[in-house]
Amino acid sequence: MLDARLVKKSHANHRTVVQLSEQVAIGGSTVIVIGGPCTVESAEQMEQVASQLATAPIHALRGGVYKPRTSPYAFQGMGVEGLRILAEARSRYGMPVVTEVMSIAQMAPVAAYADMLQIGSRNMQNFELLKALGQAGKPVLLKRGLSATIEEFVMAAEYIMAHGNPHVVLCERGIRSFDTYTRNVLDLGAVIALRQLTHLPVIVDPSHAAGKRELVADLARAAVACGADGLIVECHPEPDQSVSDARQALSLEAMVALVHSLEPIARAVGRTLSKDSLAEPKQLVTV
Ligand code: PEP
Ligand code: MN
């Protein structure tokens, strides 16, 4: 491993807890679930999502407003209007929000509205963006690059920390392989390795890994069983109508059923999903 000085574990129990809000922290005993649509589409859509997810052990909301689309002709996201919609859902339901930042110019507006900045797979090695995140003043959700090795992933996190931001959460979201049946291959071995190598929380995105909704729930359960600190899962009030990633979107009902099914698995690995235990890890542990 290269000189991963800041992200490297210094002893077996060395773990960082990243605080998203007063009540929500990633990396403690609670397995954190982040749910929401691929793309923020309207205030009504986010209201439907948030009102339903708030009834379950789901701790934070997601929704892209700056979207990295393969085609320049595809919908690129609602921008600042979408940020306002996310902030509205947050204040109404008390759930922190996570959204993607694709450029340095987007960092200030996103940081003004969101609780956590997502760096998407396509930007995992955008080194200028990683350096700028050092001063973002918000926690970062760093997604693994489409074909990034574990070492490259760890070093991308090192960039953010080396530039002054210790609040980094890693996200395994599947890597490219030869098989086109699934969109990507979920690398659960990487989740285990990252938790052995680093002290940072590691969460799993089964949605972008699978690319097919019928695979998402079982992958999510496998992720919790292998020690993931959380999940980020795409869901939508009308999955087939999603403007992006429709094929992998769960219905809101399926999302709620999924999180309830996680509780016994979390318990089996010494954790919980309960929102009641969220108050416990208040202290930010940094290197
Ligand atoms: C997303 O979260 O909607 C997304 C674009 O993810 P990734 O960067 O992992 O493809
Ligand atoms: Mn998506």
Side-chain angles (χ1 to χ4, degrees):
M1 188 64 58
L2 291 170
D3 52 345
R5 357 187 149 161
L6 301 174
V7 303
K8 214 165 104 194
K9 243 186 190 177
S10 59
H11 55 88
N13 298 325
H14 184 192
R15 299 238 55 98
T16 285
V17 174
V18 173
Q19 203 83 34
L20 292 200
S21 68
E22 285 256 314
Q23 278 90 32
V24 180
I26 309 184
S29 60
T30 303
V31 174
I32 293 298
V33 181
I34 304 167
C38 181
T39 299
V40 175
E41 298 168 16
S42 67
E44 297 68 41
Q45 174 219 30
M46 281 311 299
E47 170 61 27
Q48 281 179 282
V49 169
S51 61
Q52 195 132 343
L53 300 196
T55 64
I58 296 172
H59 313 89
L61 295 170
R62 65 151 286 148
V65 304
Y66 297 109
K67 294 302 301 178
R69 305 304 300 279
T70 302
S71 165
Y73 310 114
F75 182 57
Q76 304 286 304
M78 291 184 80
V80 176
E81 200 190 332
L83 290 174
R84 291 202 191 97
I85 291 172
L86 284 173
E88 174 70 29
R90 176 195 34 208
S91 65
R92 198 168 309 192
Y93 295 95
M95 295 162 90
V97 301
V98 182
T99 195
E100 179 164 354
V101 175
M102 294 198 299
S103 67
I104 293 175
Q106 291 165 1
M107 264 179 48
V110 171
Y113 289 97
D115 301 284
M116 182 177 224
L117 311 185
Q118 175 176 322
I119 297 303
S121 291
R122 290 150 193 83
N123 275 313
M124 189 206 80
Q125 281 189 317
N126 181 337
F127 296 115
E128 290 305 313
L129 188 55
L130 299 180
K131 289 182 201 171
L133 286 165
Q135 302 306 313
K138 287 281 159 95
V140 176
L141 179 60
L142 179 66
K143 298 188 92 176
R144 184 178 182 181
L146 304 174
S147 304
T149 64
I150 290 175
E151 183 168 73
E152 287 163 344
F153 190 17
V154 165
M155 293 313 291
E158 184 78 18
Y159 258 90
I160 301 169
M161 292 189 71
H163 283 80
N165 189 345
H167 313 302
V168 181
V169 173
L170 303 173
C171 179
E172 161 60 35
R173 46 78 74 203
I175 46 174
R176 282 237 165 119
S177 188
F178 56 87
D179 194 338
T180 53
Y181 182 79
T182 55
R183 186 175 181 183
N184 292 289
V185 175
L186 184 62
D187 185 1
L188 291 181
V191 176
I192 299 162
L194 290 165
R195 293 185 84 254
Q196 287 174 359
L197 293 167
T198 83
H199 55 87
L200 299 177
V202 181
I203 72 167
V204 167
D205 174 347
S207 305
H208 291 86
K212 290 183 167 147
R213 68 174 66 93
E214 61 272 26
L215 301 178
V216 169
D218 282 324
L219 289 177
R221 287 187 278 265
V224 173
C226 83
D229 295 292
L231 295 166
I232 180 165
V233 179
E234 289 186 346
C235 55
H236 193 284
E238 292 176 279
D240 287 326
Q241 307 306 314
S242 304
V243 304
S244 57
D245 290 348
R247 186 64 185 83
Q248 69 200 32
L250 298 184
S251 68
L252 301 180
E253 297 72 25
M255 178 75 190
V256 168
L258 163 61
V259 293
H260 285 299
S261 79
L262 295 171
E263 186 61 59
I265 301 167
R267 263 203 308 278
V269 293
R271 305 184 94 157
T272 178
L273 268 93
S274 164
K275 285 185 176 177
D276 300 336
S277 64
L278 286 176
E280 146 247 332
K282 279 275 188 273
Q283 215 62 36
L284 272 178
V285 183
T286 56
V287 283

